[in-house]
Each structure stands twice: as C-alpha cells, then as structure tokens.
Amino acid sequence: MANAFYMILRKELKDSLKSKWLITFGVTFFFLALGVPYIILGAGGLLPGDYPGMVVGTLVTLAVPLVPLVSLAMSSTTIAGEREVGTMEYLLAQPATKFEVFFGKYLGLVTSLTLAMFLGYGGAELIVYSTNPEFIASFIYALLYSLLLAGASVGLGFIVSVSVKTRAAAIGTGLFLWF
C-alpha cells in the first residue's frame, strides 16, 4: 500500500518538475526576491540599509496573486488531465486507495512548488541577506506564508480538477477562480 503511494508521489513530483510553469515560477520568484533595484543600486553603492525589509514586504504582496495563479494552473489540470489521457485508470488500478492516489498527487505538487519557491527565494536570500542576517526571520515568514497559500491553492485546484471532465475546462475554471 505505502509502496503505491510513494510511486504516485514520485510520478507527480517528476511530472511537476518537468513543467515549464514550475521552472518559470522558480525563476520569477528568484528575480522578485532579489529585485532588479538591488542589482542596479547595489552596483552603484546606493542601496538603502533597510532594503531587505522592503523586499520582504514586496514579496508578501506579490505572493498573493502569483502563488495562487501558478498553483491553480498546475493543480486544476492534474486529475482532469490524467482522466483525459487515460492514465487515471492505471493509477487507480495500483494497490492504493483513492485517498492515497489523491494525496500522493497533492503532496507531489505541493513539494514541487515548495522546491521552486525555496530555490527561488533561497537563492535570492543567499545574495541579499548574506550581508544582513537580521532579516532572515522575516524572509522565512514570507516563504512560509507563500507555502501555505500554495497548499490552499493546490487544494482548490484539485477540487476543480475532480469536478470537470476535460483539461481545458479545468484550466478555464481554475483561472476563473483566480480572477
């Protein structure tokens, strides 16, 4: 039983990590966290002392629309897409319950989103906060807030994905919910 759950989790994680959405998401988070002004002002030596604190506030503000957009786009098509392609029957034929299949897919998506945010935020954190370690707690708070938002959005996307029949209807409904 547990072996099938881990197989489903690995499959979903592998599929998610290949997604262009996820790669774009991680790179976008890196540049949002790093901030283009940091590069320009830092090169000229004009960077204000409280710049990392300003970045954390901006990240939380930008996470509200960006994280649900990517999370809904990825998760709303997962079950509908598997059903449309015909691989859902294969997954359900494994010695696993429907809950294990659903939870394995959910955990795989959340893990891949967490990895993208951690690499995006974390890479920028190493650059920005290496000189100001007192802002690390605020930065971790922004990351945790984004992860909770991603988890909730993936859950909502799964509800959409289970409720509709096709991938196109799922992405359309997910984007409608995002708006």
Side-chain angles (χ1 to χ4, degrees):
M1 288 280 218
N3 195 20
F5 170 76
Y6 290 119
M7 180 209 52
I8 294 165
L9 175 67
R10 275 193 311 260
K11 178 199 173 299
E12 191 62 37
L13 188 59
K14 184 176 153 187
D15 290 347
S16 296
L17 290 175
K18 289 180 185 176
S19 170
K20 290 181 176 94
W21 277 97
L22 192 69
I23 295 166
T24 303
F25 184 56
V27 169
T28 301
F29 265 1
F30 175 78
F31 284 113
L32 287 175
L34 180 61
V36 175
Y38 179 79
I39 297 168
I40 295 168
L41 293 174
L46 303 171
L47 199 62
D50 64 340
Y51 179 76
M54 293 186 302
V55 170
V56 170
T58 303
L59 285 177
V60 170
T61 303
L62 290 174
V64 171
L66 185 62
V67 170
L69 173 64
V70 174
S71 300
L72 281 169
M74 288 182 69
S75 63
S76 66
T77 60
T78 185
I79 293 179
E82 296 271 359
R83 197 178 321 133
E84 194 174 42
V85 174
T87 55
M88 183 54 78
E89 290 82 13
Y90 169 74
L91 289 174
L92 293 174
Q94 299 300 314
T97 65
K98 289 180 184 179
F99 176 78
E100 288 175 324
V101 170
F102 185 84
F103 190 65
K105 292 181 81 48
Y106 175 85
L107 199 58
L109 272 172
V110 169
T111 303
S112 64
L113 286 166
T114 300
L115 186 62
M117 282 189 276
F118 187 73
L119 290 175
Y121 277 156
E125 180 181 346
L126 289 174
I127 295 169
V128 175
Y129 296 112
S130 61
T131 58
N132 295 327
E134 67 269 6
F135 292 108
I136 291 177
S138 297
F139 199 75
I140 290 172
Y141 168 75
L143 179 61
L144 290 175
Y145 171 78
S146 299
L147 294 176
L148 290 173
L149 188 58
S153 299
V154 168
L156 186 61
F158 268 55
I159 292 171
V160 168
S161 189
V162 169
S163 302
V164 299
K165 298 283 185 215
T166 64
R167 182 179 289 205
I171 194 78
T173 306
L175 290 176
F176 175 77
L177 286 175
W178 177 73
F179 281 118

